[in-house]
Amino acid sequence: MEQRSSTPGGESRPSNVESEGANAAQEVPLGVRVAAAWSWRLLLIGAALAGFLWLIVQVRIIVIPLLVAILLNALLAPIVHWFERQRLPRWLGVVFALALFLALVWVLVTLIVTQLRDGLGDVAERSQESWWQMLRWAESTFGISAREVGGFVDQVWSTVQGHQTELWSGALGIATSAGQFVTGLLLTLFSLIFLLIDGKRIWNWVLGFLPARAHAPVDAAGRAGWISVGQYVRVQIFVAFVDAVGIGVGAAVLGVPLAIPVAILVFLGSFIPFLGAIATGALAAFIALVYNGPVNALIMLGVVILVNQIEGHVLQPLVMGSAVRVHPLGVVLAVSTGALLAGIPGALFAVPLAAAANSVVNTLVKRQWEVGTDPVADYHRTDQLQHRARHRARIVAKLRRKEGRS
């Protein structure tokens, strides 16, 4: 309860305690008070983000396949839309898009398996020969005895044999991961089919959980983010193709075996910006070292570095940056942060998420939506009209068939 003291004129004034408290609050500089207000709000936002990330980690077996399905949907949706523009059934476009995608995946996997099946054993033998050559070179150059290295290897092998229980547990973990991979693959395919068939209905169903006044801005922001994701996927395919052709042609010119599977692996690995092409290109340098010697391997490594420099300084800033509207530094930081938080999946999804977030924020800041509209209500209204039109068309068709029989 507020305590006040009376003045001779009958006026009341705050007590000394309240006066001292107000003076103490005023003594704190404005910058400190603003920083404190920002701090507790940022702490709450950080706690909410941490809780959200923890929840995603707990259900990652569902989240990762769903994100992969969304990326594939962004890639294949234009094919379905082309079929619709040609006034062909939507299901025909979905079937064609899925068949084309599965055919391309089958071709890539077949090329990798057939090429590696013929050359993998030879790579293992030559790797062993190169290992012994390196041991002999180390013995002649640095005086390191091959017997000492062999004893170290035997010690490692003995340690491995002494921890067979842990290894069996690891094998069971691998089996569990294999089972999760199959489950995730089926969930990805299942989600992709339904996103292609009924993506618009699913989006409006999600919007239906929001307040009506939020439908228009969230719809506009979501569509802008979706456009950025589609542009990212298409541009990333082009970037991966350039990386694969550059490293594959370089390997073929240098006479490095297994150039085709190496190029395919580079293509697949390039979907992780910056890191993927380097990791898969190192495999080409290793094969060159095993088959053609250190000089050829250094040249192959130079080709890999050159291709990655072209990607980093030409393709990513000009092509990727202009498509997704994210600065190259933002791409690098997003990939690094994603890899730090979630490993390979984090690096894979970092750039499309950053591009979508950038488009969403810009749309909301610029208020790029029609005020007073409700896209969810409009969608349901249009859907009901189409349903009634189809129902009437079926009734008319039945009546005509009856008249024709009579």
Side-chain angles (χ1 to χ4, degrees):
M1 191 171 185
E2 186 176 346
Q3 298 179 356
R4 293 181 174 272
S5 58
S6 300
T7 61
E11 298 179 354
S12 62
R13 63 183 179 182
S15 64
N16 292 334
V17 176
E18 293 181 352
S19 176
E20 291 176 359
N23 292 334
Q26 292 177 357
E27 288 297 327
V28 179
L30 177 62
V32 175
R33 282 182 283 172
V34 172
W38 273 100
S39 297
W40 72 261
R41 288 175 172 86
L42 290 176
L43 286 175
L44 287 179
I45 294 173
L49 289 177
F52 180 69
L53 292 176
W54 176 84
L55 181 61
I56 290 179
V57 170
Q58 302 305 313
V59 294
R60 59 186 178 276
I61 192 174
I62 298 175
V63 173
I64 293 177
L66 182 59
L67 292 177
V68 173
I70 291 174
L71 292 181
L72 294 178
N73 183 34
L75 175 63
L76 301 178
I79 300 176
V80 180
H81 295 160
W82 183 85
F83 273 77
E84 289 185 323
R85 288 194 298 269
Q86 302 303 317
R87 298 185 181 279
L88 295 173
R90 183 180 180 86
W91 65 265
L92 184 60
V94 173
V95 171
F96 180 81
L98 290 174
L100 179 62
F101 172 71
L102 294 177
L104 291 176
V105 172
W106 180 80
V107 169
L108 293 178
V109 172
T110 301
L111 287 174
I112 292 177
V113 171
T114 53
Q115 294 285 328
L116 291 181
R117 182 179 57 193
D118 298 335
L120 195 59
D122 190 33
V123 171
E125 293 179 0
R126 288 181 176 268
S127 299
Q128 188 174 5
E129 293 177 2
S130 300
W131 169 254
W132 289 111
Q133 290 177 1
M134 186 185 67
L135 289 180
R136 289 192 292 268
W137 175 78
E139 185 175 4
S140 61
T141 305
F142 301 103
I144 301 175
S145 174
R147 182 176 300 175
E148 295 177 357
V149 178
F152 175 75
V153 174
D154 292 338
Q155 182 179 0
V156 172
W157 179 248
S158 299
T159 304
V160 170
Q161 289 181 334
H163 294 80
Q164 291 183 355
T165 304
E166 290 83 354
L167 290 178
W168 278 111
S169 300
L172 292 176
I174 293 175
T176 303
S177 299
Q180 292 179 353
F181 174 79
V182 174
T183 303
L185 185 62
L186 294 176
L187 183 59
T188 299
L189 185 60
F190 187 79
S191 301
L192 175 61
I193 292 173
F194 279 94
L195 287 174
L196 288 174
I197 293 174
D198 222 5
K200 186 180 295 185
R201 184 183 296 273
I202 294 173
W203 171 243
N204 283 279
W205 174 75
V206 173
L207 286 179
F209 289 96
L210 302 176
R213 62 181 181 180
H215 288 171
V218 174
D219 180 68
R223 291 179 183 276
W226 177 249
I227 292 174
S228 296
V229 171
Q231 291 175 342
Y232 163 79
V233 173
R234 289 186 286 273
V235 171
Q236 188 59 43
I237 289 178
F238 172 73
V239 173
F241 177 77
V242 172
D243 289 344
V245 170
I247 295 177
V249 170
V253 170
L254 294 174
V256 179
L258 305 176
I260 293 178
V262 166
I264 296 174
L265 290 176
V266 170
F267 175 78
L268 298 177
S270 295
F271 284 93
I272 301 176
F274 298 105
L275 303 179
I278 295 176
T280 51
L283 176 62
F286 172 75
I287 295 176
L289 175 65
V290 170
Y291 279 89
N292 302 339
V295 176
N296 192 274
L298 288 176
I299 298 175
M300 186 69 240
L301 183 61
V303 171
V304 173
I305 294 175
L306 176 62
V307 171
N308 280 274
Q309 290 299 312
I310 293 175
E311 176 191 349
H313 293 86
V314 178
L315 297 180
Q316 290 289 348
L318 299 181
V319 181
M320 181 66 73
S322 61
V324 302
R325 307 296 179 185
V326 178
H327 193 274
L329 179 60
V331 173
V332 175
L333 294 178
V335 172
S336 302
T337 304
L340 180 64
L341 294 177
I344 294 178
L348 176 63
F349 300 125
V351 178
L353 288 177
N358 181 59
S359 298
V360 166
V361 171
N362 289 336
T363 302
L364 294 177
V365 169
K366 297 178 182 179
R367 304 182 67 84
Q368 296 175 338
W369 65 86
E370 296 182 9
V371 180
T373 60
D374 190 344
V376 177
D378 294 341
Y379 171 79
H380 288 301
R381 190 181 304 112
T382 304
D383 186 64
Q384 289 178 359
L385 292 175
Q386 292 176 352
H387 179 73
R388 292 174 183 174
R390 289 192 296 266
H391 181 67
R392 292 174 181 175
R394 286 194 295 266
I395 294 176
V396 171
K398 289 180 180 179
L399 293 176
R400 288 179 178 177
R401 284 197 298 267
K402 290 181 179 180
E403 291 176 358
R405 291 173 185 175
S406 62

